[in-house]
Amino acid sequence: MYKRQYQIYAIAAAPADLVLTLLKDGQVIIDRQNTAPPGSPETIVAPGGAVEGIYEVRVAVQSGTATEYAITVATDAEFPSIFAGQLLPGAPRNGTQLPENTTHFWFFTANAGDEITVVADPSGGDIYLDIYGVGAEYLESFDDGLENEAETAEWTADTTGLYAVGIVEYEGLAIPYDLSLTIE
């Protein structure tokens, strides 16, 4: 019998320090994670072959203050989605490895009216960017269709909150890339 494993990711912008807990039937703690620094994703790998029951994912903030966060349950081992981390203006992510057939999600906060520029520069391959607004609303894709060329996404934030950028290689190749964010 095939026993599927699930990966659960949650992230909030720093300084929020998330605590991610997996419960069974509202009582038994299967796993609790609070190991990543603020602004980095917490991850739980749910056990494969779990017994029947109701499973609950609880997200809390260490300080108890309210904050926006993103959460996903990745169930597709062949084409996984990974919360790669938080983007900050002026703090590029260089040499990030995008595994084969994977989507990386990066998160940042913006205010309504901010002019946002995201540049992803691959070392090979043909990447494209999917942009998601507050509430995980799909906004737009950016793809020039050229291999080994940087993709630039530019737009104006219409709402204050947590945004996401999904990065995918068109043919599912494993490639390194550099990523930067500018907010003006």
Side-chain angles (χ1 to χ4, degrees):
M1 178 177 158
Y2 175 71
K3 297 184 178 186
R4 179 184 295 189
Q5 282 194 331
Y6 300 95
Q7 291 187 336
I8 303 163
Y9 298 97
I11 189 170
D17 187 10
L18 290 185
V19 180
L20 189 59
T21 306
L22 180 63
L23 305 162
K24 181 179 180 295
D25 296 326
Q27 303 174 35
V28 179
I29 294 179
I30 304 294
D31 197 356
R32 181 179 187 275
Q33 291 296 319
N34 181 234
T35 56
S40 296
E42 291 291 351
T43 306
I44 287 179
V45 177
V51 295
E52 189 174 317
I54 297 175
Y55 291 82
E56 175 185 344
V57 178
R58 186 173 295 159
V59 180
V61 179
Q62 188 73 357
S63 66
T65 58
T67 190
E68 288 185 291
Y69 66 91
I71 186 168
T72 191
V73 178
T75 60
D76 190 341
E78 236 181 305
F79 300 100
S81 296
I82 296 174
F83 281 16
Q86 181 179 3
L87 281 176
L88 298 171
R93 302 291 186 131
N94 295 318
T96 301
Q97 286 295 127
L98 180 66
E100 183 177 37
N101 296 320
T102 300
T103 301
H104 269 174
F105 284 97
W106 292 90
F107 297 86
F108 62 92
T109 56
N111 295 311
D114 284 348
E115 298 292 327
I116 301 166
T117 303
V118 176
V119 178
D121 190 4
S123 296
D126 178 14
I127 61 172
Y128 63 92
L129 310 177
D130 286 330
I131 308 301
Y132 298 87
V134 176
E137 174 189 2
Y138 171 79
L139 298 178
E140 191 172 352
S141 282
F142 292 86
D143 180 15
D144 64 10
L146 301 173
E147 288 190 22
N148 204 28
E149 293 286 329
E151 294 292 343
T152 301
E154 297 177 305
W155 75 99
T156 301
D158 60 354
T159 307
T160 298
L162 188 64
Y163 285 77
V165 177
I167 298 179
V168 182
E169 201 288 323
Y170 185 74
E171 294 182 13
L173 301 175
I175 59 162
Y177 65 92
D178 297 337
L179 185 63
S180 64
L181 168 69
T182 304
I183 299 177
E184 297 177 338

